[in-house]
Structures are given as C-alpha cells and as structure tokens.
Amino acid sequence: MRTIILLGAPGAGKGTIAEGIRSSSPFVHVSTGDMLREAVKAGTPVGQKAEAFMKRGELVPDGVILALVEERLDKGSRDGAYMFDGFPRTIEQARMLDAILEKRAARIDRVFLLDAPRELLISRLTGRRVCRKCGQGYHVVNIPPRKEGICDVCGGDLYQRADDQESTILNRLDVYTRQTESLISFYDKKGVLVRVDSARPRQDTVAEILRVTEALTV
Ligand code: ADP
Ligand code: ZN
C-alpha cells in the first residue's frame, strides 16, 4: 500500500490537484471533506454531527474523522494506493493515521505541501462553484463552465458551498493556521515533505507531483 497526502490551506487546490492526479495514476482519492459533505447530504449520524462545524468553518472532531477514514480504508483493497486530501488536519489526526497505517504494514511515502499566497486562496474560494449532481469543481473566473451556472460534464446546477462565504473563508484560513500548519514541521521532520508551488496552472502542479510519485513506484 502506497500513501501520499495533499496538505495545504483551503483554496490551495487540494481537490482540483487530486482530480488531475487520479486520472493519470493508481491513487484512490480519499477526501474527508467530500465524504463529510456526502454524509451531510444523506443525513447520516456522522453528517448530523458534522454539519454545524462545517458551516462555521471549524474542524469536525477527530473521533468522527477517524471512524470515517477507517471505514473507507476497510472498503478498499489492502494493497491499494491512497491519496489523502484534507486529512490529516491536526497533529492528533496525523498520529491516528500513523497508527492506522502501521496496522496495515504501510507508511506515508510523501506529503505534498501545496503552497499559494493568501490573496490567491481567498479569490479561489470566493469564486468557487461546484456541480450539485457530479461534484465537478469550477471557478467563475479561472475555470468558468461553458454555460453560466450549468455543469459542462453532466448538465447539473452549480452552487456555492455553504462554507465559501467570505466570513467563513477567513475563519477557515485562521483554523488552518492554528490547527493544521504545525503538520508541515511534523512531516518535514519525518523527511517526507515536498513543497510544491500551487499558484501555477493546475496541470503544472499535477505534473510535478506525478514526477515524484512515479519515481516512488520503481
Ligand atoms: P477546504 O480544505 O477547502 O476547507 P474541505 O472540503 O477539505 O475543504 O473541508 C471542508 C470542511 O470539512 C472543513 O472546513 C471541516 O469543517 C471539515 N473537514 C474536512 N476534513 C476534515 C478533517 N480531516 N478534520 C476535521 N474536519 C474536516
Ligand atoms: Zn456535473
């Protein structure tokens, strides 16, 4: 089992980059944000617990996240390749992930830190739109759909995530600084951190990450 992590502030492009990597590599995309949004939509017990935290831009409690991730990994093949996006987000979660991987005789191969300036993070988040039906991401300026408000892929409606309102965005960036940024030195010390410039066009960032992951498989 190979494991990579996409680490970075909200708006750094974790989801978009993950999509690009998934289409040309064996990595299974595990996004705790997507899993939580699905749980909220489906009204499951996890979704009911998570919804209020997410609306405020706060982190969902570690225990909820752990259960979600373990369940997801139990479903996948044991020797699969995993790409985590939006997880871990606290030192506690990082320790939990180490324990989960140890049980599976696996370890973290690389952690990619997606780096972009704060103004860019904010403009990406405020302009972000998502397809209600298939989850495809857009941006009103950078990646506009061919027809305003309509998904190119499936014709579904585009909407703005509840946590992409300006005041919530600022809180999410703040939460990142307070609770997640310490993971950078945590993984740097383990010798697995790779910084990548995520202010460039997405295909450049994807290509750089793929070069590193392809070298891992040989
Ligand atoms: P972003 O990185 O742009 O904030 P995500 O989709 O990764 O978007 O996360 C959206 C929200 O879901 C977070 O603000 C948080 O409330 C919740 N969430 C996602 N992943 C985690 C996690 N690993 N731990 C705690 N909360 C999480
Ligand atoms: Zn769609």
Side-chain angles (χ1 to χ4, degrees):
M1 172 170 161
R2 272 174 303 128
T3 310
I4 62 170
I5 294 171
L6 301 182
L7 177 65
K14 299 184 294 292
T16 340
I17 301 293
E19 253 173 54
I21 293 172
R22 184 176 46 178
S23 59
S24 26
S25 78
F27 288 98
V28 175
H29 180 204
V30 181
S31 160
T32 45
D34 287 349
M35 288 156 70
L36 289 168
R37 276 184 292 279
E38 273 160 32
V40 169
K41 206 167 139 194
T44 65
V46 164
Q48 286 170 15
K49 266 186 229 154
E51 189 169 15
F53 293 100
M54 294 175 75
K55 276 226 170 91
R56 290 195 304 267
E58 302 289 336
L59 294 188
V60 173
D62 291 336
V64 176
I65 301 292
L66 176 70
L68 211 59
V69 170
E70 284 224 83
E71 192 191 323
R72 179 73 180 73
L73 295 187
D74 285 339
K75 267 195 234 153
S77 78
R78 295 219 154 204
D79 49 17
Y82 289 97
M83 166 171 54
F84 291 103
D85 152 12
F87 172 83
R89 251 171 154 99
T90 61
I91 295 284
E92 187 54 33
Q93 288 182 15
R95 296 216 170 95
M96 297 183 325
L97 178 61
D98 282 344
I100 292 175
L101 293 178
E102 203 170 311
K103 270 196 270 175
R104 291 170 165 76
R107 64 189 161 79
I108 293 158
D109 294 294
R110 290 289 183 279
V111 176
F112 295 96
L113 174 64
L114 307 185
D115 223 1
R118 185 181 164 89
E119 313 78 70
L120 184 60
L121 301 176
I122 295 175
S123 73
R124 280 177 176 170
L125 293 167
T126 49
R128 173 156 72 183
R129 299 292 181 274
V130 185
C131 174
R132 208 178 281 287
K133 232 161 107 190
C134 76
Q136 178 70 33
Y138 295 89
H139 186 282
V140 289
V141 181
N142 307 339
I143 323 166
R146 282 194 294 271
K147 192 161 172 242
E148 199 187 319
I150 306 290
C151 177
D152 292 347
V153 181
C154 77
D157 281 341
L158 304 188
Y159 78 107
Q160 184 172 36
R161 268 168 49 174
D163 59 351
D164 278 346
Q165 315 291 330
E166 181 117 21
S167 61
T168 314
I169 287 172
L170 298 180
N171 191 37
R172 282 159 63 207
L173 292 173
D174 203 43
V175 165
Y176 175 78
T177 308
R178 282 188 284 113
Q179 298 183 266
T180 308
E181 217 165 44
S182 53
L183 291 178
I184 298 172
S185 64
F186 181 88
Y187 286 122
D188 204 12
K189 278 185 202 140
K190 287 182 186 278
V192 292
L193 191 80
V194 181
R195 287 172 196 269
V196 292
D197 175 6
S198 185
R200 298 171 291 173
R202 127 190 170 150
Q203 63 270 27
D204 297 354
T205 312
V206 170
E208 186 180 339
I209 294 175
L210 285 174
R211 273 198 299 278
V212 177
T213 58
E214 276 154 19
L216 283 177
T217 61
V218 262

